Amino acid sequence: MRKDSRAKNPVGHYSGYMPAITVENPLELPKVATPALDQRARRVTSITTAPRGLEGEGFPVRRAFHGISQHDLDPFIHMDQMGEIDYGPGEPKGTPWHPHRGFETVTYMMEGTFLHQDSIGGGGVIENGGTQWMTAGAGILHIERPPDALIDSGGLFHGIQLWVNLPSALKMTTPRYQDIGSHDVKLLTNDNGDAIIRVIAGELGDAKGPGSTHTPITIVHVSLLPGGQLVLPWNPNYNALTYVLAGEGTVGTERTPLHDGQMAVHVDGDFIVLGANETQDSRTHAFEVLILGGQPIKEPVAVYGPFVMNTRAELQQAFEDYEAGRLGQIPAEHI
Ligand code: MN
């Protein structure tokens, strides 16, 4: 039933551009739970547009959380949409070795390949809808870069990197690395079969995705065909953010327009409403949306570069510990 990324779906829709995971016949998938009659749709309180920037050795990103208050983001700290970019030969870039402390990262690759290696012996290949989870906790060093063959050939790169905060009691927890292949992602559809719903993390209604963060979260990647409507159950205790990876559509019962690079904040309620415009970009075909939420931590947040702590004193300590080599060492056999 699962197909590689360069396949056609049953409605003849070429889905090679975006979805890393697609299916032969969405109607064979389990259906997402429908909200009960007494449940409420979440209200949209803000729409923001992500500015463009450069990360690591200079790969282009969009800063998805720019302009959104920490209150609305909690438990998330930072999110970059990496690409989408079509590199020429020799152009693909990565990051140098760098440290983290006090939070967890989730990296989701829709196109292209990243190699990961870290100072606790974790490492692997992230590609084709795979996800990598890294708990920095007390401290870790890591590197992410395309494989040599891809640097030589160039090609399409598109991913997401999300920072999930840790509560003070877990900031100094033991670092951990989890590699999750695209085949572990839980797939669902809606009644019409015009949505592919990929549960990348956490729970959606009664469906459970792979991966585990210390902080409870849900991450869903939806591809909604032109004209499609979708109602997604959402944990009323979680925050809710919708980010458009590609295409055009609407959010909320009032059908507020949202296009690629924009993020909506949804508050108060039990479900999220999405709609795909009838006409989509010829390159995209579908309304491609990432929906994320989690249990708010409700603690002070102090961020400096790669460290996320509760206080400035803890940031100072993190910097001193890094300088003293206490966040880890680059392995002797390194990429
Ligand atoms: Mn990093």
Side-chain angles (χ1 to χ4, degrees):
M1 193 166 63
R2 284 164 194 259
K3 301 278 285 180
D4 289 336
S5 61
R6 310 268 165 199
K8 287 191 178 193
N9 79 10
V11 290
H13 160 77
Y14 184 68
S15 51
Y17 160 65
M18 170 77 59
I21 310 152
T22 186
V23 292
E24 191 69 32
N25 182 0
L27 286 167
E28 290 173 356
L29 295 174
K31 303 277 195 293
V32 68
T34 331
L37 285 174
D38 61 343
Q39 292 192 320
R40 291 177 308 149
R42 289 203 176 216
R43 282 184 300 119
V44 174
T45 54
S46 78
I47 306 283
T48 45
T49 302
R52 295 174 194 278
L54 292 174
E55 189 57 58
E57 293 168 341
F59 61 82
V61 295
R62 294 194 78 157
R63 313 286 189 190
F65 288 171
H66 181 83
I68 304 174
S69 72
Q70 189 53 51
H71 174 267
D72 286 332
L73 296 177
D74 191 8
F76 304 116
I77 298 293
H78 182 83
M79 189 171 102
D80 278 340
Q81 179 184 11
M82 306 182 288
E84 167 243 353
I85 181 170
D86 196 0
Y87 280 121
E91 290 178 350
K93 294 177 175 64
T95 68
W97 281 91
H98 62 277
H100 291 295
R101 172 179 278 180
F103 64 103
E104 304 181 85
T105 63
V106 179
T107 305
Y108 174 49
M109 288 301 290
M110 292 167 280
E111 293 280 359
T113 304
F114 261 142
L115 301 177
H116 169 270
Q117 190 182 12
D118 63 43
S119 53
I120 61 164
V125 179
I126 328 166
E127 60 185 350
N128 294 332
T131 308
Q132 176 233 80
W133 303 63
M134 189 183 77
T135 304
I140 201 166
L141 306 188
H142 78 147
I143 186 171
E144 291 153 303
R145 50 160 283 203
D148 289 338
L150 251 178
I151 294 175
D152 292 345
S153 66
L156 210 52
F157 279 79
H158 193 185
I160 289 287
Q161 187 167 85
L162 175 69
W163 292 13
V164 185
N165 202 4
L166 284 167
S168 55
L170 287 171
K171 282 197 179 293
M172 297 299 279
T173 192
T174 307
R176 176 174 77 170
Y177 175 80
Q178 303 168 75
D179 225 339
I180 298 163
S182 58
H183 288 243
D184 298 320
V185 169
K186 176 77 180 171
L187 298 175
L188 304 168
T189 190
N190 58 350
D191 283 339
N192 299 335
D194 53 15
I196 298 173
I197 303 163
R198 305 166 190 83
V199 185
I200 296 164
E203 295 175 7
L204 184 76
D206 44 20
K208 195 174 187 322
S212 84
T213 41
H214 290 286
T215 302
I217 61 169
T218 295
I219 307 176
V220 178
H221 172 190
V222 169
S223 302
L224 192 56
L225 290 182
Q229 296 288 316
L230 181 62
V231 172
L232 278 183
W234 206 253
N235 186 327
N237 300 318
Y238 285 10
N239 69 333
L241 305 160
T242 295
Y243 182 73
V244 182
L245 298 163
E248 296 183 348
T250 63
V251 283
T253 52
E254 299 188 341
R255 299 196 174 205
T256 307
L258 202 66
H259 62 70
D260 60 294
Q262 290 192 310
M263 181 161 258
V265 174
H266 306 251
V267 302
D268 300 336
D270 314 281
F271 59 92
I272 293 167
V273 178
L274 302 174
N277 288 3
E278 289 286 353
T279 308
Q280 296 290 339
D281 183 299
S282 59
R283 197 184 49 146
T284 306
H285 302 291
F287 187 40
E288 300 283 350
V289 184
L290 199 76
I291 304 110
L292 57 155
Q295 182 75 53
I297 293 172
K298 298 178 181 173
E299 289 179 5
V301 174
V303 182
Y304 182 76
F307 309 126
V308 182
M309 306 302 290
N310 294 109
T311 66
R312 286 183 59 88
E314 289 167 348
L315 290 176
Q316 183 64 37
Q317 187 64 52
F319 195 77
E320 286 171 18
D321 287 349
Y322 170 54
E323 294 278 283
R326 290 190 286 265
L327 266 60
Q329 303 292 329
I330 298 173
E333 293 282 319
H334 63 86
I335 60 174

